[in-house]
Amino acid sequence: MSKRRTKIVATLGPASDTEAIIEKLILAGMDVARLNFSHGSAEDHRQKAFLVRKIAARHQRYVALMGDLQGPKIRISSFIDKQVTLEAGQAFVLSNNHPADKGNRDIVGIDYPPLVHDCAPGDELLLDDGKIILQVDKVEDDSVHTTVIAGGELSDHKGINRRGGGISAPSLTDKDREDITLAAELKVDYVAVSFPRYGSDMGQARELIQQAGSNAWVIAKIERAEAVTDDQALDNIISASDGVMVARGDLGVEIGDARLAGIQKRIIKHARTLNKLVITATQMMESMVSSTMPTRAEVSDVANAVLDHTDAVMLSAESAAGKFPVEAVAAMARICVGAEQEPVSITSGHRLGERFSRCDDTIALSAMYAANHFPGVKAIISLTESGRTPLIMSRIRSGVPIFCFTRHPHTLNRAALFRGVYSLPFDAATLDPADVSDAAIALLKEQAIVKRGDWIILSQGDFHSDSGGTNGMKILKVK
């Protein structure tokens, strides 16, 4: 059983779409396979999902699948020569009417007509993740006239952001709706929603996912400035979701890189306080796209997210298109384990002094309090249907492993994203109630996780088929 508590999300792409590489990624430590619906065909994603499930089963591992929706990425059209060089001080026009494939160094088409209504003189537009900065001079009915503030090379279909946010594109596009249907077909465990502005965006996504016949949990990608304007805006999105992703690419462009680290810490703290999952993402080990080793700054970046108690750290281009996808996962796993050795990673003040509103929350948090204060406890067993109880438990900083015992394959996979939680198949409903505890402990003994004389904590409900029914906790000595 891996001792690493922080989970790893790895994006699959051209560098990691074969059976051999996916197997190496899983063995190196991939806990969640991300299918990026911004790239690749439906058949590509079907093949990757099939391979992940097949290989994980071969190694008796539980690997979650995440389908990541593209969302309303606002982009320029294309250039005659595929690329132009913009110089600081020159004029540059973004036009709704210019031919889509006839862009040049003076003008380019845009694929989002409402941009002209979302801009005003004095605004800054950031292209290609902030590499190109344009200042808006004037706005006409069909075009935005700008002056280049920071120039450089600009190629086809690069994204556009507005400094401070404010682009009004809806969170879910027609393509997203098609991809939700695909996600349901693939039985993904999570659907990540791009560019939500409000909690209602997440509610709409959840409704569409359920209508498609999926029970996937929804992850809000925090990447718009509006999502972090104040605590209420952030908490509305977090509360409407099952988890959030700190999507530092677009978010950093919109709010500015100087504020990004502080905002990241705030998002992680709020997500955990609200008992939600949190993933830290984007350029965590970017140099490993072309290098076998991360930089010291990247090591610190990953470690700091771990110390802030993120559930997972994520690889994007590093595993999808880089030269060393397996090495990137292995390096990330090594850094996580190293950071988790620090005492701060197992010291918790979560929800101390708060009242609890649910019985299962009370049991979950009581179990963690006992585990952290009774030195003989070596493991926590949560008998669960949906996975909610081990999720709540994992909001508490602890060095004691939490085991998600369930009969449901989707819950076993889902829990692969929970920090410090490990999945084991177990069907309590088939056992005599008097035998459940001994059978659960026996399973941990078989895995060499506990031995005679150790203590374990076991939580369960009176009825093993009821979701949300956890109402009891036992402290048991291993015989």
Side-chain angles (χ1 to χ4, degrees):
M1 180 64 62
S2 169
K3 293 182 180 179
R4 173 172 50 84
R5 297 191 292 276
T6 310
K7 304 307 180 71
I8 294 174
V9 182
T11 306
L12 301 184
S16 52
D17 60 0
T18 66
E19 183 166 353
I21 295 296
I22 291 174
E23 182 168 40
K24 289 179 181 178
L25 291 176
I26 290 174
L27 294 176
M30 178 176 72
D31 299 291
V32 183
R34 174 177 173 248
L35 307 175
N36 186 358
F37 292 149
S38 296
H39 304 286
S41 66
E43 191 53 43
D44 291 336
H45 297 306
R46 288 189 185 97
Q47 180 67 9
K48 293 187 190 89
F50 169 77
L51 289 173
V52 169
R53 294 291 195 225
K54 171 185 171 184
I55 298 164
R58 180 190 304 162
H59 292 281
Q60 296 182 306
R61 285 279 305 276
Y62 294 97
V63 178
L65 282 174
M66 177 183 295
D68 195 327
L69 304 179
Q70 178 175 304
K73 187 79 172 179
I74 312 304
R75 300 179 186 274
I76 60 171
S77 297
S78 57
F79 298 99
I80 295 172
D81 298 320
K82 305 299 181 186
Q83 180 176 291
V84 298
T85 300
L86 301 183
E87 297 178 1
Q90 77 163 81
F92 190 65
V93 179
L94 305 171
S95 171
N96 284 335
N97 294 333
H98 195 74
D101 58 350
K102 301 294 185 183
N104 55 55
R105 71 180 304 272
D106 300 312
I107 187 170
V108 70
I110 48 179
D111 64 1
Y112 180 65
L115 182 66
V116 299
H117 304 298
D118 293 340
C119 297
D123 286 350
E124 285 188 352
L125 299 178
L126 303 106
L127 279 60
D128 193 9
D129 287 337
K131 297 183 180 71
I132 306 290
I133 302 176
L134 310 176
Q135 181 169 299
V136 177
D137 298 323
K138 66 175 181 177
V139 179
E140 298 180 342
D141 291 341
D142 60 355
S143 58
V144 180
H145 295 255
T146 73
T147 297
V148 178
I149 303 299
E153 293 183 350
L154 181 63
S155 54
D156 296 349
H157 306 299
K158 293 302 181 184
I160 305 172
N161 295 83
R162 177 180 175 271
R163 179 87 74 189
I167 290 182
S168 61
S171 180
L172 293 169
T173 66
D174 290 342
K175 173 176 166 45
D176 293 335
R177 295 170 190 273
E178 294 175 6
D179 287 336
I180 284 172
T181 301
L182 174 63
E185 175 197 329
L186 300 181
K187 293 181 169 59
V188 304
D189 305 290
Y190 295 95
V191 173
V193 180
S194 296
F195 301 101
R197 288 181 293 168
Y198 313 108
S200 58
D201 294 331
M202 299 308 299
Q204 182 186 12
R206 188 187 299 277
E207 186 176 337
L208 290 171
I209 291 164
Q210 292 174 347
Q211 287 174 359
S214 172
N215 61 5
W217 283 14
V218 292
I219 303 292
K221 296 170 68 177
I222 306 297
E223 48 196 337
R224 278 181 157 159
E226 296 95 320
V228 295
T229 51
D230 55 47
D231 286 350
Q232 183 177 355
L234 176 61
D235 288 350
N236 283 342
I237 293 177
I238 295 174
S239 297
S241 311
D242 297 300
V244 295
M245 182 189 296
V246 190
R248 303 182 304 182
D250 285 284
L251 180 62
V253 171
E254 292 208 356
I255 68 172
D257 55 8
R259 294 189 60 208
L260 188 57
I263 293 289
Q264 171 180 313
K265 289 178 179 291
R266 177 150 59 98
I267 294 169
I268 294 173
K269 180 180 179 182
H270 280 239
R272 296 190 62 80
T273 298
L274 293 168
N275 295 320
K276 306 293 185 176
L277 295 162
V278 58
I279 303 164
T280 305
T282 317
Q283 294 183 334
M284 298 213 80
M285 308 186 82
E286 184 78 2
S287 72
M288 290 196 73
V289 170
S290 57
S291 170
T292 57
M293 293 291 290
T295 67
R296 292 291 181 267
E298 290 166 342
V299 170
S300 294
D301 185 30
V302 173
N304 272 300
V306 171
L307 293 172
D308 286 337
H309 224 60
T310 191
D311 283 276
V313 284
M314 190 173 104
L315 297 168
S316 299
E318 303 96 330
S319 58
K323 295 180 181 179
F324 305 104
V326 178
E327 291 85 347
V329 171
M332 187 169 260
R334 185 174 66 247
I335 296 163
C336 290
V337 171
E340 289 165 0
Q341 306 311 304
E342 289 301 304
V344 69
S345 73
I346 58 172
T347 303
S348 180
H350 180 64
R351 296 185 73 175
L352 288 178
E354 288 188 23
R355 290 181 179 272
F356 307 142
S357 60
R358 293 174 51 132
C359 177
D360 51 351
D361 284 12
T362 306
I363 295 297
L365 295 166
S366 299
M368 297 309 299
Y369 189 88
N372 282 347
H373 289 79
F374 187 13
V377 175
K378 301 300 182 185
I380 300 162
I381 297 173
S382 173
L383 305 183
T384 183
E385 291 288 300
S386 68
R388 187 177 188 278
T389 299
L391 170 67
I392 300 300
M393 289 176 172
S394 67
R395 302 308 83 188
I396 299 288
R397 294 174 186 254
S398 176
V400 181
I402 302 162
F403 293 90
C404 172
F405 276 40
T406 185
R407 59 187 173 147
H408 298 295
H410 62 266
T411 303
L412 292 164
N413 290 326
R414 178 185 293 158
L417 183 54
F418 304 175
R419 182 180 174 117
V421 176
Y422 311 95
S423 296
L424 286 173
F426 185 83
D427 190 353
T430 63
L431 300 171
D432 187 289
D435 298 330
V436 169
S437 297
D438 287 342
I441 293 172
L443 182 54
L444 289 191
K445 287 179 70 176
E446 288 173 17
Q447 303 273 336
I449 294 162
V450 297
K451 62 183 185 302
R452 188 174 67 178
D454 290 341
W455 291 91
I456 67 102
I457 293 175
L458 183 146
S459 71
Q460 64 184 104
D462 289 337
F463 303 99
H464 296 296
S465 60
D466 289 352
S467 179
T470 298
N471 63 358
M473 178 185 91
K474 299 177 182 178
I475 301 179
L476 302 168
K477 195 168 189 176
V478 179
K479 299 175 183 178

